[in-house]
Amino acid sequence: QVQLVESGGGLVQAGGSLRLSCAASGRTFSSYAMGWFRQAAGKERECVAAISARGGFTLYADSVKGRFTISRDNAENTVVLQVNSLKPEDTAVYYCAARGGIVRDMPGEYDYWGQGTQVTVSS
């Protein structure tokens, strides 16, 4: 069982940055692949970034490559999404999620979810 709590969202102007954090409970955090997803109003939830259990592999959605960076600290049970050069279309609720096994990018393949943190980008 893993419990996830996101933080770091907020209102930011276009071009700005935020640091989204996800704190995980449990002693087996290092065995889970982690993903950051987002869901904008009226749209499906999508994966923006994911990282393998040990941090050696990452993947990004094409729309965020070069702007977003995912990282994790297994000693601190945290995963961070650094979001830079934000655009209005990045506005969404951002969720972190965990799954046992290898990295995937489909929401249905993740077992545990946080409550989400709102990111709003003004133009």
Side-chain angles (χ1 to χ4, degrees):
Q1 189 80 10
V2 178
Q3 292 184 327
L4 305 171
V5 179
E6 303 95 335
S7 62
L11 173 63
V12 63
Q13 289 187 331
S17 298
L18 288 171
R19 185 175 184 270
L20 307 183
S21 293
C22 175
S25 66
R27 292 179 292 178
T28 58
F29 175 73
S30 61
S31 66
Y32 288 91
M34 300 296 296
W36 279 97
F37 293 77
R38 68 185 180 188
Q39 188 164 20
K43 294 189 177 181
E44 294 186 352
R45 192 169 297 190
E46 64 171 347
C47 181
V48 295
I51 189 167
S52 60
R54 299 295 180 93
F57 177 79
T58 57
L59 63 82
Y60 295 93
D62 288 343
S63 60
V64 307
K65 282 180 181 176
R67 301 188 298 122
F68 291 13
T69 303
I70 189 171
S71 61
R72 67 187 296 161
D73 184 337
N74 285 345
E76 296 293 329
N77 282 15
T78 57
V79 59
V80 169
L81 185 69
Q82 179 67 41
V83 297
N84 298 328
S85 302
L86 282 162
K87 305 175 181 180
E89 52 262 43
D90 294 319
T91 295
V93 178
Y94 284 70
Y95 300 88
C96 72
R99 74 179 305 273
I102 64 174
V103 172
R104 298 289 191 188
D105 63 358
M106 296 301 293
E109 295 182 282
Y110 281 75
D111 304 305
Y112 304 102
W113 291 85
Q115 82 289 348
T117 186
Q118 176 71 47
V119 172
T120 303
V121 185
S122 63
S123 57

